[in-house]
Amino acid sequence: MKLKTLLLGAVAVSGMAPMAMAERGADGHVNIIYWQAPSIMTPYLSSGTKDIEAASMVIEPLGRFDQDGNMVPYLAQEIPTIENGGVTEDLKQITWKLKEGLLWSDGTPVTSADVAFTAEYCMHPEGGCAQLAKFEGISSIETPDDLTIVVNFAEPKPNPYQAFMGGQAPIIQAAQFADCLGAKAPECTEANFAPIGTGPFVVTDFRPNDVISLEANPNYRDAAKPAFATATLKGGGDAAAAGRAVLETGEFDYAWNLQLAPEVIAKMAEGGKGTPVSAFGTLVERIEMNMTDPSPSLPEGERATEAHPHPILSDIKVRKALSMAIDRPLLVEIGYGQAGRPTCNLVPAPEIYASDNTECLTQDIEGAKALLEEAGWTVGADGVREKDGMKLKLLYQTSTNAVRQDFQALIKQWWSEIGVETELRNISGSVFFGGDPGSPDTFQKFYADVEMYANNFDGTDPESYLAQHTCEKAPKPSSQWQGENINRFCDPEYDALVAELGKTGELDKRAEIAKKLNDMLTKDSYVVVPLVDRGRVSAHSNTLGGVILNTWDSELWNVADWHRVN
């Protein structure tokens, strides 16, 4: 079966819930809590989920992925296919048509020029766009009229639904961001904090790492939506406080990412004010191994860059030993219960793309010790291994969260059993997942030896997700520390295989390549050490209707349809 076959019109109709409201703003106010507070309102300068999802209330793509992973049009009239003439037979061109009459929140018309500008903005060589992989393979964009966008690819593109699809690749207004290209992008504070959008809400006040105040977009394309006149997205605190605020006290209407032990969530739900919702997608908790040296003794500008390979983790035997020492089933039992599954894969789903890699699922302490001995790391008098006068000591960082700190403690213990000394560090999620190029504490800057976090990809095809690990996408000073290749992995063979995936149409062949790329990052090199395939767990109040949990796009994908129920 070829992906080309799927382009022949197999586009689902959205399954969004019917609305029960009389007019825009009739239901008053809605309170949302993201315990990892947003620090910016654009996914192009942050790959943090909390920033991408907050921005999705304001700026939108041409199309989204619904709760089942199907493509549905948003700003576009329809999803282009070969059958409807939107995708050419040679797969080198896709043509999008904007809906007529679309307005930005400032009342000006949305045109094809805005779409073309969005690509120019992200593809700028000095911009360090956090979603650059979404625009892979684009050679040019034409705008023959105000509603038509013609995207040309350098090679046949069997999966042309990456740029402008999903919450990670929304359209931004050319007029607002005109002076924000390249290196100037992070300097445009007003635009980055309060983008002019097409979404159901507009920002009225943005306080980074704290709270966002929003109001209904007066120019939203559906006159009856959103049901809420105003909204607050509160950040900070922790997952437990967020869960209590919805499930026990009813102070908030929606709580995102309840990364809590299952018994804790169940106990909170007894409060009777709200309902937990969960679903599996592609969210993987993993450890990233830094392939560069983050030592503070290095000159600023060279630290954590390819100029200095990591003195310990450049050895695959060390990376593999660290992975072998971890008991993944126990991590799942302690941290997630039925909402988690142990995994060795960075891409755990859809099933066609999931590798049969299961080697890591059995902990092997003795095997890990033997591998370190083989690599020349011998146990010193203090129980810590050393080699050539260097201690096997690692700084292990992650965001502040009870489950993650439990994981850190367990992994530190297992690593101590194989002779590794581990220093633990946790950072507020608002900062860790922020995109501030001046902060030393972001996960992109990676001023640690190993770090732990989770993310996923839009839709059901992993091409752009796997393309994040090509050599040129490593964060560095020249890109304002933006970039998707967090661990600085660089392998020309991997890059070539990503390019092959980009022009392969047969689904079985695409799956074969994707599995190989997954394995190159995990079981072949151990630069990514997957731990848990995490189910997404959030909660909404019993008076909030229209919520449909979506693991294939932003959780706030259909916030325009939320409404108050009795």
Side-chain angles (χ1 to χ4, degrees):
M1 184 179 185
K2 293 183 179 295
L3 185 63
K4 187 172 180 178
T5 306
L6 298 185
L7 301 181
L8 292 172
V11 177
V13 176
S14 173
M16 288 184 279
M19 296 304 297
M21 59 185 180
E23 60 184 86
R24 176 180 296 153
D27 287 349
H29 188 77
V30 63
N31 281 310
I32 303 168
I33 185 165
Y34 270 50
W35 55 272
Q36 291 177 6
S39 55
I40 200 166
M41 287 291 281
T42 167
Y44 294 122
L45 295 181
S46 173
S47 49
T49 303
K50 42 94 175 181
D51 298 320
I52 294 169
E53 299 205 351
S56 73
M57 298 178 71
V58 176
I59 49 179
E60 301 176 301
L62 298 181
R64 286 198 183 281
F65 301 94
D66 71 9
Q67 70 273 17
D68 297 316
N70 300 309
M71 294 180 289
V72 291
Y74 263 60
L75 300 184
Q77 295 178 19
E78 61 183 353
I79 300 296
T81 64
I82 291 176
E83 186 179 61
N84 64 27
V87 177
T88 56
E89 287 281 348
D90 64 5
L91 305 179
K92 295 182 70 173
Q93 188 181 87
I94 183 171
T95 299
W96 294 89
K97 288 278 190 177
L98 287 169
K99 292 177 178 175
E100 295 186 9
L102 289 175
L103 297 176
W104 292 104
S105 56
D106 65 0
T108 59
V110 179
T111 73
S112 56
D114 295 301
V115 183
F117 174 83
T118 299
E120 179 187 1
Y121 176 91
C122 188
M123 296 173 69
H124 196 287
E126 298 174 6
C129 178
Q131 308 299 336
L132 185 58
K134 285 277 191 177
F135 297 82
E136 197 94 13
I138 294 177
S139 59
S140 65
I141 294 182
E142 303 166 34
T143 54
D145 59 57
D146 283 350
L147 298 182
T148 306
I149 305 99
V150 181
V151 181
N152 299 301
F153 299 101
E155 301 284 347
K157 192 74 169 177
N159 177 28
Y161 308 113
Q162 296 179 52
F164 318 125
M165 277 293 298
Q168 296 176 4
I171 310 306
I172 57 175
Q173 190 192 58
Q176 185 182 33
F177 286 86
D179 296 325
C180 304
L181 291 171
K184 295 180 180 179
E187 301 171 8
C188 292
T189 303
E190 183 177 350
N192 294 332
F193 285 0
I196 294 167
T198 58
F201 291 95
V202 296
V203 176
T204 56
D205 185 44
F206 183 88
R207 302 177 190 175
N209 304 324
D210 184 9
V211 65
I212 308 169
S213 299
L214 307 104
E215 65 182 18
N217 176 1
N219 292 301
Y220 189 60
R221 57 189 172 275
D222 188 327
K225 301 178 184 179
F228 295 104
T230 55
T232 297
L233 197 158
K234 180 73 176 78
D238 54 37
R244 285 194 296 269
V246 170
L247 298 171
E248 293 182 356
T249 70
E251 180 186 359
F252 281 82
D253 294 298
Y254 191 86
W256 162 84
N257 187 22
L258 297 186
Q259 195 174 357
L260 299 163
E263 63 271 15
V264 173
I265 296 175
K267 183 67 176 175
M268 288 179 179
E270 293 176 4
K273 298 288 188 179
T275 304
V277 287
S278 63
F280 277 96
T282 59
L283 186 66
V284 172
E285 190 80 13
R286 88 291 295 268
I287 288 176
E288 299 272 349
M289 303 281 181
N290 198 338
M291 300 302 290
T292 61
D293 189 353
S295 172
S297 65
L298 293 171
E300 195 62 31
E302 296 184 23
R303 184 181 180 189
T305 69
E306 62 181 357
H308 299 278
H310 199 285
I312 296 173
L313 296 176
S314 293
D315 187 342
I316 186 176
K317 292 180 179 178
V318 176
R319 303 195 300 272
K320 183 176 181 179
L322 293 171
S323 176
M324 292 169 66
I326 297 171
D327 186 341
R328 289 163 176 81
L330 183 57
L331 292 179
V332 169
E333 179 183 338
I334 288 173
Y336 297 100
Q338 294 300 309
R341 301 183 284 220
T343 187
C344 304
N345 289 325
L346 179 63
V347 178
E351 185 177 356
I352 190 174
Y353 293 113
S355 172
D356 60 1
N357 175 21
T358 59
E359 181 182 314
C360 80
L361 298 183
T362 302
Q363 184 186 41
D364 186 0
I365 294 290
E366 294 307 313
K369 290 178 180 177
L371 200 57
L372 291 175
E373 289 285 343
E374 186 181 322
W377 292 92
T378 57
V379 178
D382 57 359
V384 178
R385 293 183 183 272
E386 52 189 52
K387 178 181 179 181
D388 300 329
M390 178 183 295
K391 292 281 189 180
L392 186 40
K393 180 177 180 179
L394 301 173
L395 173 59
Y396 172 12
Q397 71 179 17
T398 189
S399 66
T400 305
N401 169 266
V403 172
R404 286 193 170 135
Q405 270 66 82
D406 286 345
F407 277 27
Q408 280 187 306
L410 283 168
I411 292 170
K412 177 178 180 176
Q413 173 59 36
W414 293 324
W415 285 353
S416 72
E417 292 176 28
I418 64 172
V420 179
E421 181 180 345
T422 309
E423 178 186 350
L424 302 180
R425 182 175 185 234
N426 67 81
I427 302 162
S428 164
S430 304
V431 175
F432 187 65
F433 294 113
D436 182 359
S439 172
D441 297 324
T442 65
F443 81 115
Q444 299 103 319
K445 192 162 280 188
F446 206 167
Y447 280 178
D449 301 301
V450 299
E451 64 184 12
M452 181 174 65
Y453 62 92
N455 66 10
N456 62 333
F457 54 91
D458 277 349
T460 57
D461 188 283
E463 180 185 332
S464 62
Y465 190 59
L466 291 165
Q468 293 177 355
H469 290 274
T470 55
C471 297
E472 81 280 1
K473 296 189 183 76
K476 46 190 172 292
S478 61
S479 67
Q480 292 79 52
W481 293 104
Q482 293 298 335
E484 304 139 299
N485 185 358
I486 303 301
N487 53 41
R488 287 66 157 156
F489 170 76
C490 185
D491 182 345
E493 183 182 345
Y494 184 93
D495 288 14
L497 204 55
V498 165
E500 184 179 342
L501 177 61
K503 57 189 178 185
T504 298
E506 186 178 346
L507 275 178
D508 288 343
K509 181 63 175 176
R510 286 179 67 79
E512 179 185 332
I513 295 171
K515 289 175 183 178
K516 186 172 181 180
L517 289 166
N518 173 90
D519 291 351
M520 289 176 74
L521 295 170
T522 56
K523 72 175 183 179
D524 295 344
S525 68
Y526 297 90
V527 293
V528 179
V529 176
L531 302 173
V532 180
D533 174 12
R534 285 176 45 193
R536 191 83 65 87
V537 182
S538 294
H540 64 82
S541 71
N542 292 332
T543 65
L544 183 63
V547 174
I548 302 175
L549 184 64
N550 188 338
T551 62
W552 308 107
D553 206 314
S554 165
E555 279 195 30
L556 304 178
W557 71 297
N558 75 327
V559 69
D561 296 325
W562 290 8
H563 56 274
R564 191 67 68 195
V565 296
N566 294 325

